[in-house]
Amino acid sequence: MIKYIGGATAAVALAIGGIAYAGGMFEGAAEPVPAIEDAIPVDAAAMASKGGPEAAASTTPAAADAPFTVRRVLPIDGPIKYGDWHWDDAGVPDGPIVMTVDLDARVLSVFKGGYEIGAAAVLVGTDDYPTPLGTFPIMHKQRHNVSEKYDNAPMPWSMFLTSDGVAIHGGSTVENGYASHGCISGPDEFISRIFAVAKPGDKVVITRGATMQMGDKIV
């Protein structure tokens, strides 16, 4: 039996060389945000393309300077299990944040200037409460948030992706047998680290089983 956690949920994803990239009310007056159906559609063909060794070894200025090109993946051995998370931003130069979520692998990855700095197993939606596919900007952040729709369930470090309440958030038990109502929920310490570096406008790419290699574009 599946146990549900959190409020209206959503996810973000992409797998890279076998490693996946990887709700409440808004405060104050916020600009209108897109609904799920208004998300930027994913170009599945482009995202599934795999560059060869030449692409991985490219040293052209364009590849070296592209902030949304995969430049490093974390050295993680084996699949990421529920409750596991990895973070290493030591020495990583400043750059834009982009996140990916693979709904099949249930893994969220965080990239900074093309360098993967974090990855964790996350809860995503089900067939009845699916996590939407597409590319979504972070529209709004809320440190302390509870779901008015789901019995005031705590959803700290919420980063909203749609006006429907789909968000990346903490406050959940991340283990086998649990799922969300469409949101992406991860371990508190991991999500809090994302919350500290991500800002409105940063992109979250949600896919199902898409893969990328070194030198490929993330968005």
Side-chain angles (χ1 to χ4, degrees), residues 2 4 104 106 124-131 179-182 208:
I2 296 175
Y4 293 97
D104 286 346
R106 299 187 180 188
V124 299
T126 64
D127 289 342
D128 291 333
Y129 300 95
T131 295
S180 76
H181 283 86
R208 186 175 292 282

Side-chain angles (χ1 to χ4, degrees), residues 52-187:
E54 296 81 8
S58 175
T59 56
T60 62
D65 296 335
F68 299 114
T69 296
V70 179
R71 303 175 67 181
R72 183 192 80 173
V73 296
L74 291 173
I76 301 171
D77 294 329
I80 302 177
K81 299 178 181 179
Y82 282 113
D84 289 350
W85 60 275
H86 304 266
W87 192 274
D88 182 7
D89 58 0
V92 174
D94 193 21
I97 296 294
V98 61
M99 286 174 270
T100 63
V101 176
D102 184 339
L103 300 186
D104 286 346
R106 299 187 180 188
V107 171
L108 183 158
S109 287
V110 185
F111 291 83
K112 180 180 180 181
Y115 295 83
E116 187 182 34
I117 61 173
V122 293
L123 302 181
V124 299
T126 64
D127 289 342
D128 291 333
Y129 300 95
T131 295
L133 296 170
T135 299
F136 301 83
I138 294 176
M139 305 306 300
H140 176 80
K141 295 170 58 178
Q142 190 170 342
R143 168 62 182 87
H144 301 284
N145 179 46
V146 295
S147 173
E148 295 188 348
K149 186 175 182 180
Y150 296 102
D151 300 322
N152 292 321
M155 296 187 295
W157 303 290
S158 286
M159 291 163 276
F160 293 93
L161 307 179
T162 75
S163 59
D164 306 83
V166 171
I168 298 172
H169 64 78
S172 301
T173 300
V174 183
E175 61 183 43
N176 192 29
Y178 284 73
S180 76
H181 283 86
C183 288
I184 305 158
S185 183

